[in-house]
Amino acid sequence: MSIEVALILFLAGVFLVVKGGDLFVDAASWIAKASGIPSFIVGATIVSLATTLPEMIVSVIAALQGKTEMAIGNAVGSVIANTGLILAVAMVFMTIAIQRKDYIKHCVLLIAAAAVLFLFSLSGALSFIGSLILIGIFLISMVLNVRNAMQQQEDTERIQTTRKEIIRRIVMFLFGALGIVAGSQLLVNSGSALAAFFGVPERIVAVTMIAIGTSLPELVTTVTAIIKKESSLSIGNLIGANILDLTLILPICSFVSGQALPVSAQSLALDMPACLLITIVALLPLLMKEKGSKIQGLSLILSYSLYLFFVL
């Protein structure tokens, strides 16, 4: 495969993953509401899980093909990109103010997840116990989401629909899922080809190009939030996405591979510590001051740039 073909396939994969994810989320939300599922349940669980599908499918396909460095690099790299790039941009361009009580539990869960992933991978593989703890953090996060949503829920009636609309939404759902799977396959294969062409480990392509590509939904959400001046939308979305990336994707990859997920020395030395450090730098000042600042945003961008420098 030539470099030109690999790049075209990579971009096609990004497009299919992002567009497929958009169709899937819209259709899944509509189908759930049309089925009579309360809107707060839809927002707290279905939508948040669906927006993580791109990263999940890419990592699972990579794990099934034995490309564990790509599986781990995509998940961890997405968290680093979400925090060091996307959240940082939000802080630079928005006035971010939060209430500590609304965010502290999820922030603690995210920091704990990054720490657990690092500590339980020190042996050179994500242990079974580590995977179970991460799944436990995921379940706690889902319970908190539902509880918070119940406190803010509104009475909503079941959506009135037609047979034609139902068929249209089901087709959207199927095409969205197909787009995510096909795009993920293209990303994994073209990513491997690009790594071979440049003579670098697949992990480097995963933590940079693939991680940023699969984080595009979060980037689009953040840009929309900046335009609409909805800082809480951006912060909540990014924290939720990061928790899912760390607590759901890698344990699933470990389970589908049928063994403890091997972790490279480079990931242990650089990627996982960077993930934990950038997460702490982003969240602790935010919780203590109950607001973000342009200086904090710029420091995060600098941290992310330094990380990329050492990676490359």
Side-chain angles (χ1 to χ4, degrees):
M1 184 185 299
S2 67
I3 181 65
E4 293 82 5
V5 172
L7 284 172
I8 291 172
L9 291 179
F10 183 86
L11 293 175
V14 170
F15 174 80
L16 286 173
V17 164
V18 173
K19 188 61 180 177
D22 186 42
L23 289 174
F24 186 91
V25 170
D26 286 346
S29 300
W30 186 92
I31 291 170
K33 291 178 181 178
S35 302
I37 299 176
S39 59
F40 72 89
I41 294 290
V42 174
T45 57
I46 295 173
V47 173
S48 60
L49 288 170
T51 54
T52 312
L53 268 181
E55 289 94 336
M56 185 184 302
I57 300 298
V58 169
S59 289
V60 168
I61 288 176
L64 287 172
Q65 294 181 0
K67 300 173 181 177
T68 55
E69 284 196 23
M70 186 173 288
I72 294 172
N74 174 51
V76 175
S78 292
V79 174
I80 297 173
N82 284 346
T83 309
L85 181 61
I86 300 174
L87 179 57
V89 168
M91 287 183 175
V92 171
F93 289 100
M94 275 195 294
T95 301
I96 293 179
I98 68 166
Q99 290 188 320
R100 189 182 299 112
K101 63 182 179 65
D102 294 334
Y103 286 88
I104 187 168
K105 292 178 182 178
H106 281 89
C107 288
V108 169
L109 287 177
L110 178 53
I111 293 173
V116 166
L117 177 61
F118 178 51
L119 293 175
F120 282 86
S121 299
L122 289 175
S123 63
L126 175 59
S127 68
F128 181 73
I129 297 297
S131 293
L132 287 181
I133 295 174
L134 290 174
I135 290 292
I137 294 175
F138 160 73
L139 293 175
I140 293 172
S141 174
M142 285 292 102
V143 169
L144 289 176
N145 285 348
V146 173
R147 183 179 298 172
N148 291 340
M150 287 180 67
Q151 295 172 353
Q152 304 170 18
Q153 67 173 302
E154 299 176 358
D155 293 329
T156 55
E157 296 182 359
R158 184 169 175 169
I159 294 175
Q160 299 299 314
T161 185
T162 62
R163 180 183 178 86
K164 183 178 180 180
E165 181 66 11
I166 292 173
I167 293 174
R168 188 177 77 87
R169 295 288 182 167
I170 291 175
V171 170
M172 283 177 59
F173 181 88
L174 294 175
F175 269 96
L178 181 63
I180 293 173
V181 174
S184 298
Q185 186 70 63
L186 284 176
L187 281 178
V188 171
N189 292 341
S190 60
S192 296
L194 289 171
F197 180 84
F198 289 114
V200 299
E202 292 177 348
R203 163 189 150 267
I204 291 180
V205 175
V207 299
T208 54
M209 297 173 67
I210 294 179
I212 293 174
T214 55
S215 292
L216 283 178
E218 286 85 1
L219 178 59
V220 171
T221 301
T222 299
V223 171
T224 302
I226 290 173
I227 295 172
K228 295 182 178 180
K229 302 185 185 303
E230 292 282 352
S231 61
S232 59
L233 174 65
S234 174
I235 302 298
N237 177 63
L238 290 173
I239 291 175
N242 285 352
I243 290 175
L244 293 178
D245 282 342
L246 294 181
T247 63
L248 189 60
I249 295 176
L250 292 180
I252 287 178
C253 288
S254 179
F255 297 148
V256 299
S257 66
Q259 59 182 355
L261 200 64
V263 178
S264 69
Q266 291 83 3
S267 289
L268 279 174
L270 182 57
D271 303 332
M272 290 184 180
C275 177
L276 179 58
L277 181 61
I278 288 178
T279 298
I280 290 173
V281 169
L283 298 185
L284 285 188
L286 194 61
L287 288 174
M288 289 188 292
K289 299 179 181 179
E290 294 192 315
K291 64 179 181 180
S293 66
K294 287 182 172 57
I295 293 177
Q296 186 183 3
L298 291 172
S299 67
L300 283 172
I301 292 174
L302 176 61
S303 299
Y304 184 66
S305 300
L306 287 172
Y307 165 72
L308 289 181
F309 173 77
F310 285 113
V311 164
L312 299 174

